[in-house]
Amino acid sequence: AERNRTSQVDELKVQLSSSQEEAAAKVSELEGKVESSQGTICQMTGQISLLEGESAEKTKQLDEKESALTEAQSALTSLQESHEVEATSLRDRIASLEQESTRIAAEKDDALDEAMARV
C-alpha cells in the first residue's frame, strides 16, 4: 500500500511539475503579449501626439485665415459704403448740373426771343 502511495505521490509530483511548466510557459507568453501591447501603446501615443500637434497647427492656420477673411470682409464693406456715398454725391452733382443746364438753356431761349423781338 505504501508503494502504491509512493507511486501516486510520484505521479502527482510529475503532474505538478508538468502543470508548473505549462503555467510558466503561459506566463512567459502573456508577458510577451504585454510587452508587445506596451510597444503598440507607445507607438499609438506617439502618433496621437503627432496628430494633436498637426491639429493644433491646422487650427492656428484656420484661425489666421478666418482673421484675414474677416479683415477683408470689413475692408470690402467699408469700400462699398464709401462707393455708395460717392455715388450719391455724384448723382446729386449730376442733378444739380442738369438743373443748371436747363436754367441756362431757358435763359438763352429768352435772350434769343428778346433779340428776335427787337429785330
Side-chain angles (χ1 to χ4, degrees), residues 80-100:
Q80 287 173 330
E81 290 171 356
S82 173
H83 287 304
E84 286 175 14
V85 167
E86 191 175 331
T88 300
S89 174
L90 288 173
R91 280 192 290 275
D92 291 348
R93 180 75 177 130
I94 288 170
S96 174
L97 289 172
E98 286 175 343
Q99 287 175 353
E100 190 175 338

Side-chain angles (χ1 to χ4, degrees), residues 46-58:
Q47 289 175 343
I48 289 170
S49 293
L50 181 65
L51 290 173
E52 286 174 339
E54 289 175 3
S55 176
E57 181 61 29
K58 296 225 182 274

Side-chain angles (χ1 to χ4, degrees), residues 7-25:
S7 174
Q8 286 178 342
V9 169
D10 288 342
E11 187 179 318
L12 289 174
K13 285 182 181 178
V14 169
Q15 287 177 357
L16 178 60
S17 176
S18 177
S19 294
Q20 285 176 335
E21 287 175 9
E22 287 177 15

Side-chain angles (χ1 to χ4, degrees), residues 67-86:
S67 176
L69 178 61
T70 300
E71 191 176 315
Q73 287 173 330
S74 176
L76 179 60
T77 300
S78 179
L79 280 172
Q80 287 173 330
E81 290 171 356
S82 173
H83 287 304
E84 286 175 14
V85 167
E86 191 175 331

Side-chain angles (χ1 to χ4, degrees), residues 30-45:
L30 290 174
E31 285 174 343
K33 287 182 178 180
V34 166
E35 285 180 28
S36 175
S37 295
Q38 287 174 335
T40 301
I41 289 170
C42 285
Q43 284 180 333
M44 289 180 162
T45 301

